Amino acid sequence: MNTKILKTLLIYIALTQPALFAQTYVETFDVTDIMEKPYVPQQYRPYSDEEIEREAEMVASANGHTNQKDAVITSTSYVNWTKNSFTSDVSLDVEKAGIPMPSGKATSVRKIEVNLPILVKDPLLSLYVDDSKTLNDLILDGTVTLENITRIVDNARRTPSVFAEGGSNLLTKHSIDLRNISSSLVKHEKPYTQSQPIDSISSRKYTGIVLDARGTLDVQGEFTKSRVYPCLFPKVWNEEMDLVYEKNMVNVQTAKKDGIVYYSSSDLIEDYNGRAGKDPLWISVKKVYGINRCDPVISMEDYLRIASVKENLELLKNGKVVLLLDKDMLEHKVSVPDKNKTYYITYHRLKRYFLEKKVPDLGIADIPTGIKITMDNLRFVADSAELLESEKSRISIIAESLKHATQEGDYSILVEGHTADVNKPEGQMNLSIERAKSIVNALVESGLNKKLFTFKGYGGTKPAATNSTPEGRAKNRRVEIIIMPKGSYLLTK
């Protein structure tokens, strides 16, 4: 294999799969040395403290989380859903980088270009695609390749690089049009039109549909409240959970060019860029639905006001939909987990701890949001959230590990409940929520601070294995505990 290709491959693994990189790349080596020896797969072995320190610093740096005092490039990203823009302010300290000026300006610009994908990647991939997935989820499931995203980053608009007044920092603004991403995800060839319902009410033709989802709403199917979050492809449901609107109902060219909704926070119809016309149907959203809290739920009466008139169904087909959300939900800095050196030290120490304890049916992985501890085949009293006594030893070991982890860094802990899918979605969702709460309570009883925890239930919507076998269903009955580092708006390299 060509040396340059091998180096590129190693860099790619380091950037896209840091846990795998840190797991396999234990010693610094000469590339030619590898090329001359046959590859022999090795099992993971516990790192020494010295190896943990070295690997943690290397992987954190490779992913744009260098210690700020050592960083030469910094980047802060912003999203504005009303303008479909994702922008990053990038700054290079040419003095700290050791680049002579003025002759080195071209070198400085090139250094920014090379590092942009690293600095932009994590914030960009954290954006919601729909009610259950982020852009990063689409990369993991193969819907999108990192090459696609890198190409969009490379082809995005950049302002000319200029020096900050009186300083040595070279500044540029990088801007991505989110429609360049959403258009690549529109796959249908022909939209489908909803049939008119059997029930109908007196209604009339409108020029568009405005869904007012501002403020805090009840979450459909859960005993909690949430604000509505923007995403590329929100769905609209009615109170009986019939699907009212989604991307495959929209004309392909409209969906690709303009997106399927226009986001705004304004009460003024003229601010909607002609999307809803001068006489829109104004609907107050009743609830929010979805794992990511992106989907509005409207009343049956409002649904029938749309569906009872054929021309109003055509509004959906033509994407004449405006979604009103709170301004701070639409325009803000994008925070990502601060996966610094301390984070990767915590990750490897936890991995070593679980290896030494030989805990059954337990896995640990570095995922975009943090360190995920998976407890497979959790055993509860049938159809309840009460843990069997035999599970207490596993909970005790995990509680001890979490105590150490939260002492060494600034973390919060998310507990996610999952069930096997037995075709009872609402019951599965409620059961998964109650089981997640049960695990939180057990960990708190073991001495952890309750303020560290949040919880979510996913029912059977995220299977880890097939539901057609007892073994697969056992794997799907799981709880995932995610140790999440504090968020950071600043990425450094």
Side-chain angles (χ1 to χ4, degrees):
M1 183 184 289
N2 182 282
T3 303
K4 183 177 180 181
I5 293 174
L6 185 54
K7 286 182 178 178
T8 303
L9 179 61
L10 288 172
I11 292 170
Y12 175 82
I13 294 172
L15 297 182
T16 61
Q17 303 183 60
L20 174 62
F21 183 75
Q23 182 172 313
T24 56
Y25 185 74
V26 177
E27 302 290 343
T28 303
F29 51 75
D30 182 351
V31 173
T32 55
D33 205 33
I34 288 185
M35 294 167 64
E36 293 167 358
K37 296 178 181 178
Y39 171 70
V40 180
Q42 293 183 341
Q43 288 188 328
Y44 175 84
R45 65 170 178 80
Y47 282 4
S48 68
D49 286 339
E50 293 76 15
E51 288 172 330
I52 286 176
E53 288 270 343
R54 185 169 69 248
E55 297 303 317
E57 187 165 2
M58 179 186 65
V59 179
S61 175
N63 284 278
H65 296 277
T66 301
N67 188 307
Q68 194 169 342
K69 69 180 180 62
D70 298 324
V72 297
I73 306 179
T74 61
S75 174
T76 303
S77 296
Y78 306 80
V79 66
N80 187 326
W81 290 91
T82 65
K83 296 181 178 178
N84 286 300
S85 67
F86 180 90
T87 60
S88 301
D89 291 335
V90 185
S91 174
L92 169 66
D93 188 326
V94 294
E95 287 186 2
K96 193 182 285 188
I99 301 173
M101 286 292 137
S103 61
K105 185 172 181 181
T107 301
S108 301
V109 171
R110 179 59 185 157
K111 190 174 184 68
I112 290 175
E113 290 175 351
V114 168
N115 284 280
L116 260 173
I118 298 170
L119 297 168
V120 171
K121 174 176 68 75
D122 284 355
L124 181 63
L125 297 185
S126 71
L127 298 183
Y128 292 149
V129 174
D130 55 29
D131 65 296
S132 64
K133 292 185 177 181
T134 64
L135 279 171
N136 193 79
D137 292 327
L138 297 191
I139 287 177
L140 294 177
D141 68 21
T143 303
V144 175
T145 68
L146 198 64
E147 183 182 0
N148 297 145
I149 297 297
T150 301
R151 189 180 301 117
I152 289 171
V153 171
D154 288 341
N155 293 335
R157 184 168 56 86
R158 284 195 288 274
T159 60
S161 298
V162 296
F163 281 99
E165 187 175 348
S168 62
N169 288 329
L170 189 65
L171 309 177
T172 187
K173 185 182 287 289
H174 178 270
S175 301
I176 295 172
D177 189 329
L178 293 178
R179 288 169 295 193
N180 291 337
I181 296 175
S182 62
S183 64
S184 69
L185 300 173
V186 175
K187 304 296 186 183
H188 64 283
E189 296 180 356
K190 185 178 180 181
Y192 72 91
T193 302
Q194 264 193 340
S195 58
Q196 290 180 275
I198 297 175
D199 296 329
S200 65
I201 63 172
S202 177
S203 186
R204 63 179 178 84
K205 294 190 295 184
Y206 293 92
T207 61
I209 298 167
V210 178
L211 302 170
D212 189 347
R214 292 172 293 187
T216 301
L217 303 173
D218 290 332
V219 177
Q220 174 71 25
E222 300 179 34
F223 300 105
T224 187
K225 292 179 179 289
S226 175
R227 293 202 288 170
V228 182
Y229 289 80
C231 69
L232 296 176
F233 302 116
K235 300 183 184 75
V236 181
W237 307 80
N238 65 30
E239 288 177 305
E240 293 186 3
M241 297 314 292
D242 300 315
L243 189 56
V244 177
Y245 183 61
E246 55 112 357
K247 71 176 178 180
N248 293 323
M249 295 179 183
V250 184
N251 280 320
V252 176
Q253 292 308 312
T254 299
K256 284 179 175 286
K257 180 176 177 289
D258 300 318
I260 69 167
V261 299
Y262 182 91
Y263 284 108
S264 179
S265 59
S266 173
D267 288 315
L268 302 175
I269 293 174
E270 53 266 31
D271 288 344
Y272 306 153
N273 200 28
R275 190 70 173 253
K278 294 182 179 180
D279 182 28
L281 170 60
W282 194 288
I283 295 174
S284 293
V285 172
K286 300 300 181 184
K287 296 180 181 179
V288 59
Y289 177 69
I291 293 166
N292 294 331
R293 313 307 196 210
C294 296
D295 292 355
V297 180
I298 63 176
S299 70
M300 280 299 297
E301 181 179 350
D302 285 328
Y303 162 63
L304 291 173
R305 289 167 73 190
I306 299 170
S308 297
V309 177
K310 183 179 179 181
E311 288 84 355
N312 292 339
L313 291 175
E314 285 293 307
L315 297 176
L316 301 179
K317 186 175 180 179
N318 293 315
K320 299 293 187 180
V321 179
V322 173
L323 182 53
L324 302 185
L325 302 184
D326 297 316
K327 186 173 182 178
D328 63 324
M329 304 296 279
L330 295 172
E331 304 172 34
H332 56 83
K333 291 182 182 179
V334 182
S335 174
V336 295
D338 187 9
K339 294 190 174 184
N340 54 29
K341 179 180 176 181
T342 300
Y343 168 86
Y344 283 106
I345 287 174
T346 299
Y347 169 70
H348 280 292
R349 285 180 177 168
L350 282 173
K351 195 161 191 176
R352 184 172 64 185
Y353 178 80
F354 291 138
L355 197 65
E356 291 169 350
K357 293 292 182 180
K358 299 179 180 178
V359 189
D361 295 323
L362 188 143
I364 179 170
D366 173 26
I367 64 171
T369 50
I371 301 167
K372 181 175 75 174
I373 301 169
T374 303
M375 302 174 66
D376 290 333
N377 196 23
L378 267 174
R379 291 179 286 275
F380 293 85
V381 173
D383 297 323
S384 85
E386 183 184 347
L387 271 170
L388 292 179
E389 191 67 29
S390 58
E391 294 291 352
K392 298 294 176 68
S393 60
R394 269 205 292 177
I395 294 292
S396 177
I397 291 172
I398 289 174
E400 194 63 31
S401 73
L402 294 178
K403 288 176 190 176
H404 290 302
T406 53
Q407 286 171 358
E408 295 172 352
D410 190 358
Y411 300 106
S412 59
I413 302 172
L414 171 64
V415 178
E416 298 180 344
H418 301 265
T419 67
D421 187 357
V422 292
N423 296 316
K424 297 178 181 178
E426 189 168 339
Q428 290 163 193
M429 181 64 72
N430 291 333
L431 184 59
S432 68
I433 293 169
E434 291 305 311
R435 287 181 172 178
K437 286 166 62 177
S438 178
I439 297 299
V440 170
N441 292 335
L443 292 170
V444 170
E445 288 172 7
S446 296
L448 284 150
N449 189 335
K450 191 171 185 177
K451 292 180 180 178
L452 287 170
F453 291 95
T454 55
F455 60 88
K456 276 186 179 181
Y458 291 88
T461 62
K462 288 192 171 185
T466 178
N467 281 291
S468 61
T469 66
E471 295 78 14
R473 291 191 292 274
K475 196 168 185 63
N476 290 333
R477 290 191 296 270
R478 69 194 191 280
V479 165
E480 295 175 347
I481 300 170
I482 303 173
I483 306 170
M484 302 186 298
K486 65 180 180 181
S488 174
Y489 295 113
L490 189 69
L491 274 86
T492 53
K493 187 74 175 74

